[in-house]
PDB file of all heavy atoms in Angstrom:
ATOM      1  N   HIS A 271       2.050 -12.493  17.025  1.00 98.00           N
ATOM      2  CA  HIS A 271       3.068 -11.807  16.245  1.00 98.00           C
ATOM      3  C   HIS A 271       2.429 -11.234  14.995  1.00 98.00           C
ATOM      4  O   HIS A 271       1.885 -11.971  14.181  1.00 98.00           O
ATOM      5  CB  HIS A 271       4.208 -12.758  15.873  1.00 98.00           C
ATOM      6  CG  HIS A 271       5.325 -12.074  15.150  1.00 98.00           C
ATOM      7  ND1 HIS A 271       6.393 -11.511  15.805  1.00 98.00           N
ATOM      8  CD2 HIS A 271       5.508 -11.819  13.837  1.00 98.00           C
ATOM      9  CE1 HIS A 271       7.201 -10.939  14.912  1.00 98.00           C
ATOM     10  NE2 HIS A 271       6.679 -11.113  13.710  1.00 98.00           N
ATOM     11  N   SER A 272       2.508  -9.913  14.850  1.00 98.00           N
ATOM     12  CA  SER A 272       1.960  -9.276  13.647  1.00 98.00           C
ATOM     13  C   SER A 272       3.026  -9.261  12.567  1.00 98.00           C
ATOM     14  O   SER A 272       4.181  -8.903  12.823  1.00 98.00           O
ATOM     15  CB  SER A 272       1.529  -7.841  13.950  1.00 98.00           C
ATOM     16  OG  SER A 272       0.525  -7.843  14.938  1.00 98.00           O
ATOM     17  N   GLU A 273       2.614  -9.620  11.365  1.00 98.00           N
ATOM     18  CA  GLU A 273       3.553  -9.718  10.245  1.00 98.00           C
ATOM     19  C   GLU A 273       4.389  -8.445  10.086  1.00 98.00           C
ATOM     20  O   GLU A 273       3.892  -7.329  10.176  1.00 98.00           O
ATOM     21  CB  GLU A 273       2.751  -9.928   8.948  1.00 98.00           C
ATOM     22  CG  GLU A 273       3.601  -9.989   7.703  1.00 98.00           C
ATOM     23  CD  GLU A 273       2.763 -10.323   6.465  1.00 98.00           C
ATOM     24  OE1 GLU A 273       1.532 -10.171   6.499  1.00 98.00           O
ATOM     25  OE2 GLU A 273       3.367 -10.755   5.474  1.00 98.00           O
ATOM     26  N   CYS A 274       5.679  -8.646   9.832  1.00 98.00           N
ATOM     27  CA  CYS A 274       6.592  -7.536   9.579  1.00 98.00           C
ATOM     28  C   CYS A 274       7.626  -8.058   8.581  1.00 98.00           C
ATOM     29  O   CYS A 274       8.629  -8.649   8.975  1.00 98.00           O
ATOM     30  CB  CYS A 274       7.254  -7.082  10.876  1.00 98.00           C
ATOM     31  SG  CYS A 274       8.489  -5.791  10.613  1.00 98.00           S
ATOM     32  N   LEU A 275       7.352  -7.886   7.311  1.00 98.00           N
ATOM     33  CA  LEU A 275       8.247  -8.435   6.287  1.00 98.00           C
ATOM     34  C   LEU A 275       9.682  -7.945   6.493  1.00 98.00           C
ATOM     35  O   LEU A 275      10.631  -8.720   6.435  1.00 98.00           O
ATOM     36  CB  LEU A 275       7.758  -8.025   4.889  1.00 98.00           C
ATOM     37  CG  LEU A 275       8.663  -8.545   3.776  1.00 98.00           C
ATOM     38  CD1 LEU A 275       8.277  -9.952   3.386  1.00 98.00           C
ATOM     39  CD2 LEU A 275       8.643  -7.627   2.568  1.00 98.00           C
ATOM     40  N   THR A 276       9.812  -6.656   6.772  1.00 98.00           N
ATOM     41  CA  THR A 276      11.149  -6.082   6.904  1.00 98.00           C
ATOM     42  C   THR A 276      11.901  -6.655   8.103  1.00 98.00           C
ATOM     43  O   THR A 276      13.096  -6.945   8.010  1.00 98.00           O
ATOM     44  CB  THR A 276      11.034  -4.550   7.025  1.00 98.00           C
ATOM     45  OG1 THR A 276       9.976  -4.251   7.942  1.00 98.00           O
ATOM     46  CG2 THR A 276      10.741  -3.909   5.681  1.00 98.00           C
ATOM     47  N   GLY A 277      11.203  -6.820   9.206  1.00 98.00           N
ATOM     48  CA  GLY A 277      11.864  -7.331  10.411  1.00 98.00           C
ATOM     49  C   GLY A 277      11.956  -8.850  10.443  1.00 98.00           C
ATOM     50  O   GLY A 277      12.978  -9.413  10.825  1.00 98.00           O
ATOM     51  N   ASP A 278      10.887  -9.517  10.018  1.00 98.00           N
ATOM     52  CA  ASP A 278      10.840 -10.982  10.134  1.00 98.00           C
ATOM     53  C   ASP A 278      11.763 -11.652   9.118  1.00 98.00           C
ATOM     54  O   ASP A 278      12.354 -12.684   9.391  1.00 98.00           O
ATOM     55  CB  ASP A 278       9.413 -11.510   9.880  1.00 98.00           C
ATOM     56  CG  ASP A 278       8.404 -10.965  10.873  1.00 98.00           C
ATOM     57  OD1 ASP A 278       8.823 -10.457  11.916  1.00 98.00           O
ATOM     58  OD2 ASP A 278       7.201 -11.058  10.585  1.00 98.00           O
ATOM     59  N   SER A 282      15.524  -6.294   9.358  1.00 97.00           N
ATOM     60  CA  SER A 282      15.492  -4.843   9.617  1.00 97.00           C
ATOM     61  C   SER A 282      15.861  -4.547  11.062  1.00 97.00           C
ATOM     62  O   SER A 282      15.408  -5.224  11.989  1.00 97.00           O
ATOM     63  CB  SER A 282      14.084  -4.311   9.351  1.00 97.00           C
ATOM     64  OG  SER A 282      13.924  -3.039   9.933  1.00 97.00           O
ATOM     65  N   LYS A 284      15.169  -1.510  12.235  1.00 96.00           N
ATOM     66  CA  LYS A 284      14.311  -0.389  12.611  1.00 96.00           C
ATOM     67  C   LYS A 284      13.275  -0.758  13.666  1.00 96.00           C
ATOM     68  O   LYS A 284      12.672   0.115  14.262  1.00 96.00           O
ATOM     69  CB  LYS A 284      13.556   0.129  11.372  1.00 96.00           C
ATOM     70  CG  LYS A 284      14.288   1.251  10.662  1.00 96.00           C
ATOM     71  CD  LYS A 284      13.450   1.809   9.516  1.00 96.00           C
ATOM     72  CE  LYS A 284      12.331   2.728   9.955  1.00 96.00           C
ATOM     73  NZ  LYS A 284      12.786   4.037  10.403  1.00 96.00           N
ATOM     74  N   CYS A 285      12.996  -2.050  13.807  1.00 95.00           N
ATOM     75  CA  CYS A 285      11.982  -2.473  14.783  1.00 95.00           C
ATOM     76  C   CYS A 285      12.563  -3.641  15.579  1.00 95.00           C
ATOM     77  O   CYS A 285      13.712  -4.017  15.400  1.00 95.00           O
ATOM     78  CB  CYS A 285      10.693  -2.862  14.068  1.00 95.00           C
ATOM     79  SG  CYS A 285      10.932  -4.222  12.905  1.00 95.00           S
ATOM     80  N   ASP A 286      11.738  -4.224  16.432  1.00 94.00           N
ATOM     81  CA  ASP A 286      12.214  -5.344  17.246  1.00 94.00           C
ATOM     82  C   ASP A 286      11.526  -6.649  16.855  1.00 94.00           C
ATOM     83  O   ASP A 286      11.585  -7.635  17.592  1.00 94.00           O
ATOM     84  CB  ASP A 286      11.975  -5.040  18.741  1.00 94.00           C
ATOM     85  CG  ASP A 286      10.533  -4.657  19.053  1.00 94.00           C
ATOM     86  OD1 ASP A 286       9.744  -4.417  18.108  1.00 94.00           O
ATOM     87  OD2 ASP A 286      10.183  -4.592  20.249  1.00 94.00           O
ATOM     88  N   CYS A 287      10.879  -6.677  15.692  1.00 96.00           N
ATOM     89  CA  CYS A 287      10.032  -7.825  15.337  1.00 96.00           C
ATOM     90  C   CYS A 287      10.811  -9.125  15.156  1.00 96.00           C
ATOM     91  O   CYS A 287      10.408 -10.167  15.678  1.00 96.00           O
ATOM     92  CB  CYS A 287       9.247  -7.521  14.065  1.00 96.00           C
ATOM     93  SG  CYS A 287       8.186  -6.086  14.247  1.00 96.00           S
ATOM     94  N   GLY A 288      11.900  -9.071  14.391  1.00 96.00           N
ATOM     95  CA  GLY A 288      12.664 -10.292  14.139  1.00 96.00           C
ATOM     96  C   GLY A 288      13.168 -10.918  15.431  1.00 96.00           C
ATOM     97  O   GLY A 288      12.883 -12.100  15.717  1.00 96.00           O
ATOM     98  N   PRO A 289      13.897 -10.152  16.250  1.00 96.00           N
ATOM     99  CA  PRO A 289      14.364 -10.714  17.520  1.00 96.00           C
ATOM    100  C   PRO A 289      13.219 -11.168  18.423  1.00 96.00           C
ATOM    101  O   PRO A 289      13.320 -12.203  19.097  1.00 96.00           O
ATOM    102  CB  PRO A 289      15.137  -9.547  18.171  1.00 96.00           C
ATOM    103  CG  PRO A 289      15.571  -8.692  17.017  1.00 96.00           C
ATOM    104  CD  PRO A 289      14.489  -8.822  15.980  1.00 96.00           C
ATOM    105  N   GLN A 290      12.105 -10.423  18.418  1.00 97.00           N
ATOM    106  CA  GLN A 290      10.962 -10.843  19.249  1.00 97.00           C
ATOM    107  C   GLN A 290      10.390 -12.174  18.771  1.00 97.00           C
ATOM    108  O   GLN A 290      10.008 -13.024  19.577  1.00 97.00           O
ATOM    109  CB  GLN A 290       9.852  -9.783  19.210  1.00 97.00           C
ATOM    110  CG  GLN A 290      10.050  -8.656  20.208  1.00 97.00           C
ATOM    111  CD  GLN A 290       8.813  -7.778  20.292  1.00 97.00           C
ATOM    112  OE1 GLN A 290       8.159  -7.511  19.281  1.00 97.00           O
ATOM    113  NE2 GLN A 290       8.492  -7.314  21.476  1.00 97.00           N
ATOM    114  N   GLU A 312       0.427  -6.764   8.700  1.00 97.00           N
ATOM    115  CA  GLU A 312       1.639  -6.014   8.375  1.00 97.00           C
ATOM    116  C   GLU A 312       1.453  -4.523   8.705  1.00 97.00           C
ATOM    117  O   GLU A 312       0.386  -3.947   8.447  1.00 97.00           O
ATOM    118  CB  GLU A 312       1.945  -6.229   6.886  1.00 97.00           C
ATOM    119  CG  GLU A 312       3.068  -5.418   6.315  1.00 97.00           C
ATOM    120  CD  GLU A 312       4.441  -5.698   6.918  1.00 97.00           C
ATOM    121  OE1 GLU A 312       5.044  -6.750   6.619  1.00 97.00           O
ATOM    122  OE2 GLU A 312       4.897  -4.838   7.681  1.00 97.00           O
ATOM    123  N   GLY A 313       2.489  -3.965   9.299  1.00 97.00           N
ATOM    124  CA  GLY A 313       2.461  -2.519   9.585  1.00 97.00           C
ATOM    125  C   GLY A 313       1.368  -2.104  10.549  1.00 97.00           C
ATOM    126  O   GLY A 313       0.765  -1.057  10.377  1.00 97.00           O
ATOM    127  N   LYS A 321       3.228   1.023   5.411  1.00 98.00           N
ATOM    128  CA  LYS A 321       4.252   1.016   6.468  1.00 98.00           C
ATOM    129  C   LYS A 321       5.552   1.615   5.938  1.00 98.00           C
ATOM    130  O   LYS A 321       6.221   2.386   6.636  1.00 98.00           O
ATOM    131  CB  LYS A 321       4.518  -0.402   6.986  1.00 98.00           C
ATOM    132  CG  LYS A 321       5.592  -0.410   8.087  1.00 98.00           C
ATOM    133  CD  LYS A 321       5.902  -1.789   8.627  1.00 98.00           C
ATOM    134  CE  LYS A 321       6.890  -2.535   7.762  1.00 98.00           C
ATOM    135  NZ  LYS A 321       7.406  -3.749   8.432  1.00 98.00           N
ATOM    136  N   TYR A 325       7.782   4.687   7.159  1.00 97.00           N
ATOM    137  CA  TYR A 325       9.234   4.703   7.366  1.00 97.00           C
ATOM    138  C   TYR A 325       9.862   5.912   6.684  1.00 97.00           C
ATOM    139  O   TYR A 325      10.769   6.549   7.233  1.00 97.00           O
ATOM    140  CB  TYR A 325       9.860   3.418   6.806  1.00 97.00           C
ATOM    141  CG  TYR A 325       9.748   2.215   7.731  1.00 97.00           C
ATOM    142  CD1 TYR A 325      10.277   0.990   7.360  1.00 97.00           C
ATOM    143  CD2 TYR A 325       9.142   2.316   8.981  1.00 97.00           C
ATOM    144  CE1 TYR A 325      10.190  -0.110   8.199  1.00 97.00           C
ATOM    145  CE2 TYR A 325       9.039   1.213   9.815  1.00 97.00           C
ATOM    146  CZ  TYR A 325       9.570   0.001   9.418  1.00 97.00           C
ATOM    147  OH  TYR A 325       9.487  -1.076  10.258  1.00 97.00           O
ATOM    148  N   TYR A 402      12.263   4.149  18.300  1.00 89.00           N
ATOM    149  CA  TYR A 402      10.983   3.439  18.084  1.00 89.00           C
ATOM    150  C   TYR A 402      10.511   2.788  19.385  1.00 89.00           C
ATOM    151  O   TYR A 402       9.339   2.897  19.765  1.00 89.00           O
ATOM    152  CB  TYR A 402      11.195   2.405  16.974  1.00 89.00           C
ATOM    153  CG  TYR A 402      10.084   1.415  16.768  1.00 89.00           C
ATOM    154  CD1 TYR A 402       8.853   1.807  16.249  1.00 89.00           C
ATOM    155  CD2 TYR A 402      10.265   0.063  17.079  1.00 89.00           C
ATOM    156  CE1 TYR A 402       7.836   0.878  16.041  1.00 89.00           C
ATOM    157  CE2 TYR A 402       9.264  -0.867  16.862  1.00 89.00           C
ATOM    158  CZ  TYR A 402       8.045  -0.453  16.352  1.00 89.00           C
ATOM    159  OH  TYR A 402       7.052  -1.378  16.147  1.00 89.00           O
ATOM    160  N   LYS A 406       7.175   3.598  21.640  1.00 87.00           N
ATOM    161  CA  LYS A 406       6.184   2.607  22.059  1.00 87.00           C
ATOM    162  C   LYS A 406       5.928   2.724  23.568  1.00 87.00           C
ATOM    163  O   LYS A 406       4.796   2.637  24.023  1.00 87.00           O
ATOM    164  CB  LYS A 406       6.652   1.182  21.713  1.00 87.00           C
ATOM    165  CG  LYS A 406       6.645   0.914  20.216  1.00 87.00           C
ATOM    166  CD  LYS A 406       6.301  -0.537  19.868  1.00 87.00           C
ATOM    167  CE  LYS A 406       7.423  -1.497  20.053  1.00 87.00           C
ATOM    168  NZ  LYS A 406       7.068  -2.848  19.553  1.00 87.00           N
TER     169      LYS A 406
HETATM  170 ZN1   ZN B 535       8.932  -4.929  12.528  1.00 95.19          ZN
END
Side-chain angles (χ1 to χ4, degrees):
H271 184 90
S272 299
E273 178 175 18
C274 176
L275 179 85
T276 45
D278 299 343
S282 164
K284 268 185 77 73
C285 60
D286 53 349
C287 300
Q290 276 190 322
E312 173 63 74
K321 180 180 83 168
Y325 279 180
Y402 170 69
K406 290 213 282 186

